[in-house]
Amino acid sequence: MQISPSILSADFANLQRELEAISTADWAHVDVMDNHFVPNLTLGLPVVESLLRVTPIPLDCHLMIDDPDRWAPPYAEAGAKSVTFHVEAAADPVRTARDIRAQGARASMAIKPGTDFAPYEELLREVDMVLVMTVEPGFGGQSFMADMMPKVTQVREAVRRHGGDIWIQVDGGVSASTIEQCAQAGADVFVAGSAVYNAEGAAENVARLRALAAAHRHV
Ligand code: DX5
Ligand code: ZN
């Protein structure tokens, strides 16, 4: 059970300090948005390169961008240990996943709430993680979509059939009140932005989320 806080909810003027605040987490989730694939613009490779120089934990880059075939592998080459691209945007997801892995990173495929998993099941042989979005990608602080839990379980069952150590990540609206159902459904990597970077203190929030997830592990 791993926690990957999203720095989308952090203070962008102090990202090094904000990464240090989550140094007890497993990953730092970096949301890259291009204002084309999603209607929002965040940051790109130059900022990720700077974050890589100072981060105490590995970066989990979630690319919400068009043409990941071209733009995703450079994140792996720069040193991101996990690179997620959206299947909806990829022209050649097999090649893209292989290019990411060739740079020594974990390759991951993401599916939006309206995207069925079944047509992409064959991609399991090419990836290390499946990200099941639990909000429409683009913004932090949205409401959790509980109706995505059957899809998480569907992916979990496909991973079991397929074999191997493929992780299942959920992203969007994950909090102390929703993480249990994600874990029960079969997720094992949990992204949380607003539920980590709030008044409670980031490290305490990470610890609480991890304990809740561990207590409700999928069986
Ligand atoms: C949304 C991003 C998420 C976002 C999650 O498109 O992919 O990573 O930061 O934020 P919360 O946890 O606040 O829903
Ligand atoms: Zn994300």
Side-chain angles (χ1 to χ4, degrees):
M1 295 301 197
Q2 303 187 68
I3 307 296
S4 185
S6 168
I7 60 167
L8 186 60
S9 294
D11 175 3
F12 270 35
N14 292 286
L15 287 175
Q16 181 173 4
R17 191 187 69 199
E18 296 283 62
L19 286 169
E20 280 158 7
I22 55 160
S23 63
T24 54
D26 302 278
W27 300 85
H29 184 85
V30 181
D31 289 301
V32 174
M33 306 187 192
D34 66 352
N35 207 26
H36 289 268
F37 182 71
V38 290
N40 194 7
L41 183 67
T42 54
L43 52 84
L45 189 57
V47 174
V48 168
E49 286 171 338
S50 294
L51 296 176
L52 283 163
R53 284 196 282 274
V54 300
T55 184
I57 53 177
L59 297 190
D60 162 33
C61 288
H62 176 195
L63 307 182
M64 286 159 276
I65 61 172
D66 279 345
D67 200 7
D69 310 74
R70 176 173 175 191
W71 299 112
Y75 287 83
E77 192 180 354
K81 292 290 176 230
S82 180
V83 178
T84 300
F85 63 90
H86 272 266
V87 294
E88 301 90 351
D92 190 346
V94 170
R95 199 197 75 210
T96 300
R98 288 180 184 175
D99 286 351
I100 291 167
R101 281 175 155 177
Q103 298 293 338
R106 299 178 64 91
S108 160
M109 65 188 225
I111 47 179
K112 296 204 284 185
T115 303
D116 283 338
F117 170 67
Y120 300 102
E121 185 169 339
E122 282 196 5
L123 281 176
L124 287 181
R125 75 184 67 176
E126 307 290 343
V127 298
D128 303 289
M129 184 169 80
V130 178
L131 164 53
V132 178
M133 290 301 301
T134 45
V135 297
E136 208 55 61
F139 300 92
Q142 302 182 79
S143 299
F144 177 75
M145 296 170 70
D147 53 339
M148 292 300 117
M149 296 303 96
K151 194 197 280 188
V152 171
T153 303
Q154 179 191 5
V155 178
R156 173 54 66 201
E157 285 165 0
V159 165
R160 186 171 288 148
R161 282 196 301 276
H162 179 270
D165 185 24
I166 300 172
W167 301 345
I168 302 175
Q169 184 176 66
V170 284
D171 180 9
V174 175
S175 70
S177 52
T178 60
I179 196 168
E180 301 180 359
Q181 52 188 301
C182 297
Q184 274 161 356
D188 51 13
V189 187
F190 305 87
V191 177
S194 46
V196 167
Y197 286 105
N198 59 31
E200 304 291 307
E204 292 79 0
N205 289 328
V206 168
R208 182 180 315 120
L209 290 171
R210 190 185 272 124
L212 286 168
H216 294 84
R217 196 178 287 271
H218 179 79
V219 285

